[in-house]
Amino acid sequence: MNYGKKVWIFPDAELPPKGENVIPGHESIIITNVTDKPADIKITLLYTDREPVSFTVQVAGMRVRCLRTNEEKDFGPYTARMEEQYAIMLESSEPIVAQYGRAEPRQVAFYTTAGYCE
């Protein structure tokens, strides 16, 4: 059986402030590779007022990887800026399942979305 898609888009990304709640404000992309091959994934960040930027990550076969948008170890020089609106596009060499999650201290909420995939 074939699971996953090769293109995922999350149109509503925004790094919230850290806040003072039990769960600090953050956002992340969770990528699951359910194939036997490594998935090479191009991540493109689209902004409202500046040019897009792209970088690549790899998720090994039959593995999951969590990428925190505010962590330099995950997003390198493209770490998210607090309260900046942007979108995230994933283009993978292998079918993957992806999810976006945000812990929102301004509303004391945590939510996830599967995004658009093709």
Side-chain angles (χ1 to χ4, degrees):
M1 189 168 242
N2 188 3
Y3 297 102
K5 300 291 182 178
K6 290 188 173 187
V7 177
W8 292 80
I9 299 173
F10 303 95
D12 181 24
E14 176 194 0
L15 178 64
K18 202 163 199 164
E20 298 178 9
N21 299 310
V22 175
I23 300 173
H26 68 275
E27 66 178 350
S28 59
I29 297 290
I30 310 296
I31 302 170
T32 305
N33 179 3
V34 293
T35 73
D36 292 331
K37 301 178 195 170
D40 295 311
I41 301 162
K42 177 181 175 184
I43 299 176
T44 302
L45 307 177
L46 305 160
Y47 301 97
T48 59
D49 60 354
R50 57 187 167 121
E51 292 300 311
V53 295
S54 297
F55 60 99
T56 59
V57 299
Q58 189 175 79
V59 179
M62 297 304 290
R63 297 289 187 267
V64 63
R65 184 164 178 190
C66 176
L67 302 169
R68 286 273 185 103
T69 65
N70 64 322
E71 295 282 338
E72 193 170 325
K73 68 179 178 56
D74 294 332
F75 268 55
Y78 309 114
T79 56
R81 297 179 188 170
M82 191 179 312
E83 299 179 335
E84 177 179 43
Q85 185 69 48
Y86 66 105
I88 301 168
M89 180 167 61
L90 308 176
E91 297 171 282
S92 179
S93 62
E94 300 297 323
I96 58 172
V97 175
Q99 176 176 295
Y100 169 86
R102 182 187 304 159
E104 179 56 77
R106 293 171 287 199
Q107 300 167 358
V108 190
F110 182 77
Y111 65 90
T112 62
T113 181
Y116 171 83
C117 61
E118 222 176 74

